[in-house]
Amino acid sequence: MYTQPDLPYAPDALEPAISAKTVEFHYGKHEKAYIDNLNSLIKGTDFEDMDLEDIIKSSEGALFNNASQAYNHIFYFFTFSPTGAKEPSGELRKAIELQFGSLDAFKKEFVDAGVKIFGSGWVWLACDEDGKLLIIQKPNAGTPLTDGLVPLLTFDVWEHAYYLDYQNRRADALNKLWSIVDWDVVSSRYDLD
Ligand code: MN
C-alpha cells in the first residue's frame, strides 16, 4: 500500500506561483485519487510488493496511468520550495550551460516544450547514463523512466495544474514556476557517480 507523503510546506507557501486552493485540489484531491486507485489496482496482485518505479516500468493501461501519475505528482510537488536555491549548482549548472548556452536559454526551451504539448502531459528534464541532458515531452501520464532515463525536473501541463490560477494561460503558469523551483533538489538528482 502506498501512502501519500505530506508536503514539506504549507498549502499557501508557493503563492503567488501556485495558490493554496490549487495545492489543495491538485495534491490533496487529484494526486490522492491516483494513489487510491493505484492501491486498489495492485491489491492482491504481483504488483503489491513492488517499488513504484518498477510498477511504472512493467505495467500498462490503468495501472501504468495511476502509478505514473502518483509518481509524477510527488516528483513535481517535492521540487518546489518557497525558500530553495534559485539557480542550479555544480555539475548540473555546467551541463545546462554547455548544452543550452545559459540557464535562461534552457528555461525558455523547457517552457516552450511544455506549451507545445497538445492536451495533457508533462515536460521533463532528464539525463541519460552519460549525463547528457534531454528536454522531453510526454503525453498524459508519461515519464522518462520508461525510456531508461533519469528524471531531474518536471512541469505538469494538465489543465488541472493551472486552470484555477491562470485559466488558459499555460505559458504564464509555467514561467511562474521558476520562482519556486528548488534548484538544490534538481541538482541533487543529477548524480553522475
Ligand atoms: Mn497534475
mmCIF file of all heavy atoms in Angstrom, residues 97-117:
data_model
loop_
_atom_site.group_PDB
_atom_site.id
_atom_site.type_symbol
_atom_site.label_atom_id
_atom_site.label_comp_id
_atom_site.label_asym_id
_atom_site.label_seq_id
_atom_site.Cartn_x
_atom_site.Cartn_y
_atom_site.Cartn_z
ATOM 1 N N GLU A 97 24.687 24.865 -18.994
ATOM 2 C CA GLU A 97 25.334 25.930 -19.763
ATOM 3 C C GLU A 97 26.015 25.383 -21.018
ATOM 4 O O GLU A 97 25.972 26.003 -22.073
ATOM 5 C CB GLU A 97 26.310 26.689 -18.856
ATOM 6 C CG GLU A 97 25.536 27.510 -17.822
ATOM 7 C CD GLU A 97 26.420 28.239 -16.812
ATOM 8 O OE1 GLU A 97 27.636 27.976 -16.774
ATOM 9 O OE2 GLU A 97 25.868 29.066 -16.070
ATOM 10 N N LEU A 98 26.584 24.183 -20.889
ATOM 11 C CA LEU A 98 27.238 23.562 -22.042
ATOM 12 C C LEU A 98 26.211 23.205 -23.130
ATOM 13 O O LEU A 98 26.425 23.440 -24.313
ATOM 14 C CB LEU A 98 27.973 22.297 -21.580
ATOM 15 C CG LEU A 98 28.791 21.561 -22.630
ATOM 16 C CD1 LEU A 98 30.023 22.377 -23.022
ATOM 17 C CD2 LEU A 98 29.228 20.196 -22.106
ATOM 18 N N GLN A 99 25.086 22.636 -22.729
ATOM 19 C CA GLN A 99 24.139 22.103 -23.713
ATOM 20 C C GLN A 99 23.128 23.121 -24.213
ATOM 21 O O GLN A 99 22.641 23.016 -25.332
ATOM 22 C CB GLN A 99 23.395 20.907 -23.126
ATOM 23 C CG GLN A 99 24.287 19.682 -23.010
ATOM 24 C CD GLN A 99 23.487 18.445 -22.686
ATOM 25 O OE1 GLN A 99 23.804 17.740 -21.751
ATOM 26 N NE2 GLN A 99 22.446 18.197 -23.462
ATOM 27 N N PHE A 100 22.757 24.078 -23.358
ATOM 28 C CA PHE A 100 21.706 25.026 -23.753
ATOM 29 C C PHE A 100 22.231 26.450 -23.914
ATOM 30 O O PHE A 100 21.490 27.327 -24.341
ATOM 31 C CB PHE A 100 20.553 24.996 -22.740
ATOM 32 C CG PHE A 100 19.900 23.644 -22.618
ATOM 33 C CD1 PHE A 100 20.221 22.792 -21.580
ATOM 34 C CD2 PHE A 100 18.977 23.214 -23.569
ATOM 35 C CE1 PHE A 100 19.640 21.533 -21.467
ATOM 36 C CE2 PHE A 100 18.387 21.956 -23.469
ATOM 37 C CZ PHE A 100 18.717 21.110 -22.413
ATOM 38 N N GLY A 101 23.471 26.704 -23.549
ATOM 39 C CA GLY A 101 24.063 28.039 -23.718
ATOM 40 C C GLY A 101 24.015 28.849 -22.441
ATOM 41 O O GLY A 101 24.984 29.486 -22.081
ATOM 42 N N SER A 102 22.863 28.818 -21.756
ATOM 43 C CA SER A 102 22.711 29.553 -20.496
ATOM 44 C C SER A 102 21.493 29.012 -19.773
ATOM 45 O O SER A 102 20.655 28.315 -20.366
ATOM 46 C CB SER A 102 22.517 31.053 -20.754
ATOM 47 O OG SER A 102 21.261 31.270 -21.379
ATOM 48 N N LEU A 103 21.385 29.356 -18.483
ATOM 49 C CA LEU A 103 20.207 28.942 -17.714
ATOM 50 C C LEU A 103 18.934 29.545 -18.306
ATOM 51 O O LEU A 103 17.908 28.865 -18.428
ATOM 52 C CB LEU A 103 20.373 29.357 -16.242
ATOM 53 C CG LEU A 103 19.214 29.013 -15.317
ATOM 54 C CD1 LEU A 103 18.945 27.508 -15.292
ATOM 55 C CD2 LEU A 103 19.491 29.536 -13.904
ATOM 56 N N ASP A 104 18.990 30.807 -18.699
ATOM 57 C CA ASP A 104 17.811 31.450 -19.273
ATOM 58 C C ASP A 104 17.386 30.780 -20.582
ATOM 59 O O ASP A 104 16.190 30.620 -20.851
ATOM 60 C CB ASP A 104 18.066 32.941 -19.507
ATOM 61 C CG ASP A 104 17.975 33.741 -18.212
ATOM 62 O OD1 ASP A 104 17.465 33.197 -17.215
ATOM 63 O OD2 ASP A 104 18.430 34.904 -18.198
ATOM 64 N N ALA A 105 18.379 30.413 -21.400
ATOM 65 C CA ALA A 105 18.052 29.741 -22.662
ATOM 66 C C ALA A 105 17.411 28.381 -22.393
ATOM 67 O O ALA A 105 16.455 27.983 -23.074
ATOM 68 C CB ALA A 105 19.313 29.573 -23.509
ATOM 69 N N PHE A 106 17.914 27.673 -21.381
ATOM 70 C CA PHE A 106 17.290 26.403 -21.008
ATOM 71 C C PHE A 106 15.849 26.611 -20.559
ATOM 72 O O PHE A 106 14.934 25.895 -20.983
ATOM 73 C CB PHE A 106 18.072 25.702 -19.880
ATOM 74 C CG PHE A 106 17.235 24.689 -19.175
ATOM 75 C CD1 PHE A 106 16.878 23.506 -19.801
ATOM 76 C CD2 PHE A 106 16.723 24.949 -17.902
ATOM 77 C CE1 PHE A 106 16.038 22.585 -19.168
ATOM 78 C CE2 PHE A 106 15.893 24.043 -17.268
ATOM 79 C CZ PHE A 106 15.546 22.856 -17.905
ATOM 80 N N LYS A 107 15.630 27.599 -19.685
ATOM 81 C CA LYS A 107 14.275 27.844 -19.167
ATOM 82 C C LYS A 107 13.296 28.114 -20.309
ATOM 83 O O LYS A 107 12.167 27.620 -20.305
ATOM 84 C CB LYS A 107 14.281 29.035 -18.200
ATOM 85 C CG LYS A 107 14.920 28.751 -16.853
ATOM 86 C CD LYS A 107 14.867 30.034 -15.999
ATOM 87 C CE LYS A 107 15.412 29.794 -14.601
ATOM 88 N NZ LYS A 107 15.433 31.059 -13.812
ATOM 89 N N LYS A 108 13.739 28.901 -21.289
ATOM 90 C CA LYS A 108 12.871 29.236 -22.413
ATOM 91 C C LYS A 108 12.542 27.991 -23.224
ATOM 92 O O LYS A 108 11.377 27.751 -23.584
ATOM 93 C CB LYS A 108 13.548 30.293 -23.290
ATOM 94 C CG LYS A 108 12.677 30.777 -24.430
ATOM 95 C CD LYS A 108 13.321 31.928 -25.181
ATOM 96 C CE LYS A 108 12.380 32.472 -26.260
ATOM 97 N NZ LYS A 108 11.841 31.444 -27.141
ATOM 98 N N GLU A 109 13.558 27.182 -23.504
ATOM 99 C CA GLU A 109 13.341 25.970 -24.301
ATOM 100 C C GLU A 109 12.424 24.985 -23.566
ATOM 101 O O GLU A 109 11.561 24.339 -24.163
ATOM 102 C CB GLU A 109 14.704 25.321 -24.615
ATOM 103 C CG GLU A 109 14.634 24.285 -25.709
ATOM 104 C CD GLU A 109 16.009 23.799 -26.151
ATOM 105 O OE1 GLU A 109 16.962 24.603 -26.207
ATOM 106 O OE2 GLU A 109 16.118 22.601 -26.435
ATOM 107 N N PHE A 110 12.592 24.905 -22.234
ATOM 108 C CA PHE A 110 11.789 23.984 -21.421
ATOM 109 C C PHE A 110 10.315 24.410 -21.422
ATOM 110 O O PHE A 110 9.415 23.588 -21.640
ATOM 111 C CB PHE A 110 12.360 23.970 -20.000
ATOM 112 C CG PHE A 110 11.798 22.911 -19.096
ATOM 113 C CD1 PHE A 110 12.241 21.593 -19.168
ATOM 114 C CD2 PHE A 110 10.845 23.232 -18.140
ATOM 115 C CE1 PHE A 110 11.747 20.610 -18.314
ATOM 116 C CE2 PHE A 110 10.346 22.251 -17.285
ATOM 117 C CZ PHE A 110 10.787 20.945 -17.374
ATOM 118 N N VAL A 111 10.081 25.701 -21.188
ATOM 119 C CA VAL A 111 8.699 26.195 -21.170
ATOM 120 C C VAL A 111 8.071 26.070 -22.564
ATOM 121 O O VAL A 111 6.912 25.661 -22.695
ATOM 122 C CB VAL A 111 8.628 27.645 -20.640
ATOM 123 C CG1 VAL A 111 7.257 28.262 -20.911
ATOM 124 C CG2 VAL A 111 8.932 27.666 -19.143
ATOM 125 N N ASP A 112 8.834 26.394 -23.596
ATOM 126 C CA ASP A 112 8.306 26.256 -24.960
ATOM 127 C C ASP A 112 7.866 24.816 -25.222
ATOM 128 O O ASP A 112 6.814 24.573 -25.823
ATOM 129 C CB ASP A 112 9.361 26.655 -25.994
ATOM 130 C CG ASP A 112 9.536 28.160 -26.111
ATOM 131 O OD1 ASP A 112 8.705 28.904 -25.541
ATOM 132 O OD2 ASP A 112 10.508 28.601 -26.752
ATOM 133 N N ALA A 113 8.676 23.865 -24.777
ATOM 134 C CA ALA A 113 8.325 22.452 -24.970
ATOM 135 C C ALA A 113 7.044 22.110 -24.214
ATOM 136 O O ALA A 113 6.203 21.357 -24.709
ATOM 137 C CB ALA A 113 9.480 21.549 -24.524
ATOM 138 N N GLY A 114 6.879 22.666 -23.017
ATOM 139 C CA GLY A 114 5.664 22.416 -22.239
ATOM 140 C C GLY A 114 4.428 23.036 -22.880
ATOM 141 O O GLY A 114 3.356 22.421 -22.920
ATOM 142 N N VAL A 115 4.597 24.252 -23.380
ATOM 143 C CA VAL A 115 3.466 24.947 -24.021
ATOM 144 C C VAL A 115 2.994 24.183 -25.255
ATOM 145 O O VAL A 115 1.809 24.132 -25.560
ATOM 146 C CB VAL A 115 3.876 26.395 -24.379
ATOM 147 C CG1 VAL A 115 2.858 27.041 -25.306
ATOM 148 C CG2 VAL A 115 4.056 27.222 -23.106
ATOM 149 N N LYS A 116 3.940 23.545 -25.953
ATOM 150 C CA LYS A 116 3.602 22.896 -27.228
ATOM 151 C C LYS A 116 3.045 21.482 -27.068
ATOM 152 O O LYS A 116 2.680 20.858 -28.072
ATOM 153 C CB LYS A 116 4.843 22.867 -28.129
ATOM 154 C CG LYS A 116 5.127 24.253 -28.705
ATOM 155 C CD LYS A 116 6.417 24.288 -29.496
ATOM 156 C CE LYS A 116 6.652 25.714 -30.019
ATOM 157 N NZ LYS A 116 8.070 25.945 -30.328
ATOM 158 N N ILE A 117 2.976 20.964 -25.855
ATOM 159 C CA ILE A 117 2.332 19.655 -25.672
ATOM 160 C C ILE A 117 0.839 19.833 -25.940
ATOM 161 O O ILE A 117 0.185 20.679 -25.318
ATOM 162 C CB ILE A 117 2.568 19.108 -24.248
ATOM 163 C CG1 ILE A 117 4.047 18.789 -24.055
ATOM 164 C CG2 ILE A 117 1.700 17.868 -23.993
ATOM 165 C CD1 ILE A 117 4.432 18.449 -22.623
#
